[in-house]
Structures are given as C-alpha cells and as structure tokens.
Amino acid sequence: MAKKSNKLVEKVTKPPGSNLKAIESNPWENVLTQVHNAAKVLDLDPNCLKILEKPSAILTTNFPVNMDDGSLEVYTGYRVQHNTARGPCKGGIRFSPEVNLDEVKALAAWMTYKTAVVNLPYGGAKGGVVVNPFQLSKSELKRLTRRFTYSILNMIGPERDIPAPDVNTNPEIMSWIMDTYSMIKGHTELGVVTGKPLEVGGSLGRLEATGRGVFVALEETLRQQNQQSCKDVSIAVQGFGNVGSNFAKIAYEHGGRIAAVSNSFGALYDSEGLDMLELVDYATNHPREELIEFPGVEVITNDELLKLDVDVLAPCALENQIRADNADDIQAKIIVEGANGPTTPTADEILAEKKIVVVPDILANAGGVIVSYFEWVQGQQHYFWNEKKVNATLKDILVKSYAEVNAMKKKYCLQELRTAAMALAVQRVTHAIKLRGIFP
Ligand code: NAD
C-alpha cells in the first residue's frame, strides 16, 4: 500500500449503469429505507424513529499533511457517531477517494444495528478520509493517519468511540492511531482502537474474523437448508481484500469450490474451482493490479462474476453492487454479504421475488466487530485469550444471533432475513433508548 507509484493507483470503481437513480446508490437513503421497513414491522414509537433517523454527532475535518516532496496537501475526513444508547461507539475507518459524508453516515448506522443484532454493548460509528492511499508513500500515510487521529481525538477513546480497520486500512494503521492517542494522553491506551497488530494489543483471530464470520453465516444457512457442509458448494467472491480473501480461504479449507474471486481490477474464474492456498499466497506477494495475471485462469469482469451460475455469491467489496439493474440476472441461490450495504433495497425486492436467500451484512459480516469486542475486552483486562477461544466464542455469538434473527422472521411472518435482522436490532436499540430515557 505504501509505495508511491502510479501503477499502484487503485481503480476507482463506480457501479456500471449511469441511468441509476441517485437515491438507489445513496447508502444513507438505503439504510433509512431498511430502518423504516423494520419500524413498520415493529409498529415503532415515532419518537424513537426520529432519533434513529439522525446520527448523534458528525465531525468534518479538513487537515493539512506535509508531503515528501516538500508540498502540502489538505485532506477531508469524517467521523460520524450514529447512536450511543447501548454503549460506546464502534466502527471502522476507511481511506478511499470515494468516501463521502452520506456513505460514512450509512456505515455508522449499520454499525449501530450490527452491534445490536449480535448483542454487543456498543453503539455505531464510522470514519473515513477522502484519499487514495495507494498514491502515498508510507511516511505520508503515517502523517495523514496521525493528523486525522488528532483531528478526531476528542471524539474517540476506549469508553467513547473505538475505531477499527475498514477498506484500505490495516493493523499497522491501527497501531499508528493507538500510538498517536497514547502519546497525547500520556499513557499507552490499548482500548482506543481494535484490529491492532498482535505485538501491540491485538487479538488472535481478528485479522480473519470478518471472513470467518461470513463463513459461519454461510454454514448456518446451508444447515437450515439441510446441507451439513459446504463441500462442493460453488462460490463466487467479489472483493479479495481482508474480508473476501479470508472468507474464500476458510470456505475452501472446508471443501467449498471457489469458482471466482475479484478485486477492483477484474475477476478470475474457474468453474472447477480455484486453488485458494496458491491464490492467497500469490495475492500476498503481488500488487493488487496483478491479481488478474494469476497464471492459467480465465479473466472475467466483476459484472460477469455477480451473474455467475453458482450456489453462493459473497459480495465482499463495497456498497451498491447488487442493484435494480443487475439483481434480476443474479443466479446464486444464497447471497452472504461480507461487505456493508452491497445490496440496495430495490434489489432486495427483486431477490426476494426470485427466492434468493440474502444473509444481510449486519449479521453476516459481524464477525469482525465481535472479535474487535474481544480485543477491546482483552486490552482493558491486559489478559489475552488463545485463538481457539476467540474462534469458538465468535461462532457461538453468531450462531445464537442467527437463531434470534430467524425467530424474529417467524414471529412477524417476514420473507426477508434483512428486515428480521433490522427489526431485532431496532427493537434492541429503542429498548435501550427507552430504558435510559431522554436527558435531561
Ligand atoms: P479491503 O480494502 O481489505 O478490500 C476491499 C477489496 O474490494 C479489495 O480487493 C478491492 O480491490 C476490492 N474492490 C473494490 N471495489 C471493487 C469492485 N467494484 N469489484 C470488486 N472488487 C472491488 O477492505 P475489507 O476490509 O475487506 O472490506 C470490504 C467490505 O467489507 C467493506 O464493505 C467493509 O466495510 C466491509 N467490512 C469490513 C470489515 C473488516 O473487518 N475489515 C468488517 C465488516 C465489514
């Protein structure tokens, strides 16, 4: 990530189909639609809905960074806290040229509902900086991270708001955030950020946790369809970053046939199944734009990947990938959402008509925040767990949460898991709001 080279510039990915209604690709509008759907199911108190419709705090910061060549750039960043009724805020930080306030607001709200669905004592937040990190040197990236951390310093803290990695951020960047906060506070504060390297208070299992959780969600879905394993289940994975590559590897190790994987430069396809161990090794040792140069495999487009005739589609890249204009062409029978917000509400309706099971983001990708919670607990206690305990407790929480979502689905005779998960989350958050009451 840190090399300064035009070759490494990540392609900016815009959904194809310029005729899209702006509203369909506005993630904040999409999350509001999902919440309103849940509110209707619950016959929610309109006063509670008013609270959920607005993030509780928004910070926009424009901050300067000295570049290696002596010039200066001013970057824009955001931290949004959506709701704190259930505890301190939790949510990642994204570095991308596509970051905008509505996206960060939506991601913060999804964190409120995700932490509620899996019953963690957190609210939701998210942050982002409008930057292409692939165009920065490592020292520029470090200065940008430290200055952005300083800009949001009064919002974050172990009892207040705890960031974590998201798109284009990683454990090393989390260690710079922890260090910046700790230097200013005058003592090491492990609990200010999660997703840290193991050497500085990270948790075993955190790096793979989101992908592992997506796999657990898939296993549960298959089990409910009387399929006891994912052996020979064909899977297409969009996005080969932290979430997608770990999910693909774990599914492969359990006998799944990974027919296709992609990143923003294109997709690799082999109907017989790709060798994930070789591919992960290759991806680790090559820049992202060279993924599609993996020898001996057919290259297809991301659009074609979404429409493959596979059992399972795992969108693990960005929002708004499955929309009104392509949902009807999806052939997978199960969609398990590794990314946040990959399916728009209009697409949800089309998929429901096609009887495609969609395991929603707030449940399917909650493994990351679950193990972030373990990391925060371990950091506060200065006592660290072994990996077996991390993975087993992650699985327990996700399986229980899935069962609770299914119970909501049954209770309210719902067709979609998304509305059931949202209803469960909204119910938990609004109970907390009512129990605490409105200050003063
Ligand atoms: P990452 O930066 O590690 O990887 C993102 C991947 O998506 C990269 O391979 C990138 O090239 C690819 N990509 C971008 N646009 C694409 C497109 N249009 N088609 C195909 N591939 C594309 O990010 P990540 O941490 O893996 O996050 C991916 C998604 O998962 C995001 O929606 C994020 O919010 C969500 N998520 C991440 C975590 C986590 O712990 N990292 C937890 C929960 C949810």
Side-chain angles (χ1 to χ4, degrees), residues 125-204:
K126 207 80 179 193
V129 177
V130 188
V131 59
N132 185 338
F134 298 91
Q135 286 179 320
L136 303 185
S137 69
K138 190 160 174 174
S139 53
E140 288 168 342
L141 189 62
K142 194 188 287 189
R143 286 196 291 277
L144 175 135
T145 303
R146 286 189 179 281
R147 184 62 192 241
F148 176 61
T149 306
Y150 179 77
S151 303
I152 62 169
L153 201 92
N154 290 331
M155 283 180 103
I156 61 174
E159 308 299 338
R160 191 174 274 191
D161 179 354
I162 307 120
D166 193 75
V167 172
N168 296 338
T169 54
N170 57 30
E172 188 173 30
I173 292 174
M174 298 306 113
S175 73
W176 299 335
I177 295 176
M178 188 274 277
D179 185 71
T180 306
Y181 185 90
S182 299
M183 285 297 115
I184 292 167
K185 294 290 173 186
H187 62 273
T188 295
E189 190 60 84
L190 296 184
V192 66
V193 68
T194 58
K196 301 181 293 298
L198 288 178
E199 298 81 354
V200 287
S203 174
L204 288 164

Side-chain angles (χ1 to χ4, degrees), residues 99-117:
V99 163
N100 61 73
L101 186 53
D102 272 355
E103 179 185 66
V104 182
K105 280 163 62 181
L107 293 164
W110 279 317
M111 287 307 295
T112 298
Y113 303 120
K114 191 184 302 182
T115 52
V117 140

Side-chain angles (χ1 to χ4, degrees), residues 112-421:
T112 298
Y113 303 120
K114 191 184 302 182
T115 52
V117 140
V118 293
N119 220 353
L120 302 178
Y122 285 138
K126 207 80 179 193
V129 177
V130 188
V131 59
N132 185 338
F134 298 91
Q135 286 179 320
L136 303 185
S137 69
K138 190 160 174 174
S139 53
E140 288 168 342
L141 189 62
K142 194 188 287 189
R143 286 196 291 277
L144 175 135
T145 303
R146 286 189 179 281
R147 184 62 192 241
F148 176 61
T149 306
Y150 179 77
S151 303
I152 62 169
L153 201 92
N154 290 331
M155 283 180 103
I156 61 174
E159 308 299 338
R160 191 174 274 191
D161 179 354
I162 307 120
D166 193 75
V167 172
N168 296 338
T169 54
N170 57 30
E172 188 173 30
I173 292 174
M174 298 306 113
S175 73
W176 299 335
I177 295 176
M178 188 274 277
D179 185 71
T180 306
Y181 185 90
S182 299
M183 285 297 115
I184 292 167
K185 294 290 173 186
H187 62 273
T188 295
E189 190 60 84
L190 296 184
V192 66
V193 68
T194 58
K196 301 181 293 298
L198 288 178
E199 298 81 354
V200 287
S203 174
L204 288 164
R206 173 60 185 92
L207 203 60
E208 317 83 47
T210 311
R212 183 174 298 282
V214 177
F215 177 69
V216 170
L218 172 60
E219 256 188 331
E220 272 304 289
T221 313
L222 292 170
R223 206 181 50 75
Q224 287 159 30
Q225 297 179 354
N226 296 321
Q227 214 168 322
Q228 295 314 319
S229 90
C230 82
K231 195 160 172 12
D232 290 331
V233 169
S234 58
I235 303 173
V237 184
Q238 187 204 37
F240 205 58
N242 175 283
V243 179
S245 66
N246 281 300
F247 164 69
K249 184 164 169 272
I250 294 168
Y252 175 82
E253 285 165 351
H254 286 78
R257 185 157 45 89
I258 313 299
V261 302
S262 71
N263 67 10
S264 54
F265 295 90
L268 297 171
Y269 172 63
D270 183 345
S271 61
E272 299 297 308
L274 298 157
D275 184 326
M276 269 312 112
L277 301 183
E278 271 183 22
L279 195 55
V280 168
D281 183 55
Y282 176 90
T284 312
N285 294 304
H286 290 79
R288 290 179 177 201
E289 71 270 24
E290 287 178 17
L291 181 76
I292 50 173
E293 287 165 29
F294 183 69
V297 177
E298 187 183 343
V299 174
I300 60 171
T301 65
N302 262 295
D303 202 37
E304 287 168 329
L305 177 145
L306 294 175
K307 299 171 184 172
L308 285 175
D309 183 8
V310 285
D311 300 313
V312 177
L313 173 63
C316 298
L318 295 174
E319 308 91 72
N320 299 326
Q321 299 301 302
I322 305 172
R323 306 170 303 271
D325 62 304
N326 62 5
D328 205 29
D329 298 324
I330 305 279
Q331 300 192 65
K333 293 149 207 85
I334 296 171
I335 295 177
V336 60
E337 294 184 334
N340 288 309
T343 311
T344 67
T346 326
D348 264 336
E349 288 174 25
I350 298 167
L351 298 173
E353 267 173 39
K354 287 166 65 83
K355 305 254 180 290
I356 295 174
V357 176
V358 180
V359 191
D361 45 10
I362 59 170
L363 177 65
N365 72 34
V369 73
I370 292 171
V371 178
S372 272
Y373 167 62
F374 301 159
E375 181 177 330
W376 180 71
V377 167
Q378 293 169 80
Q380 304 284 60
Q381 298 181 342
H382 302 271
Y383 177 75
F384 288 85
W385 305 359
N386 64 41
E387 194 164 1
K388 200 170 157 202
K389 176 170 170 174
V390 169
N391 292 345
T393 319
L394 158 64
K395 186 168 179 174
D396 284 352
I397 292 179
L398 262 184
V399 169
K400 180 169 184 280
S401 306
Y402 203 142
E404 288 168 343
V405 169
N406 271 333
M408 280 305 268
K409 183 168 175 272
K410 195 165 168 205
K411 179 173 175 189
Y412 291 101
C413 302
L414 300 170
Q415 202 186 346
E416 296 167 45
L417 282 168
R418 185 177 328 274
T419 309

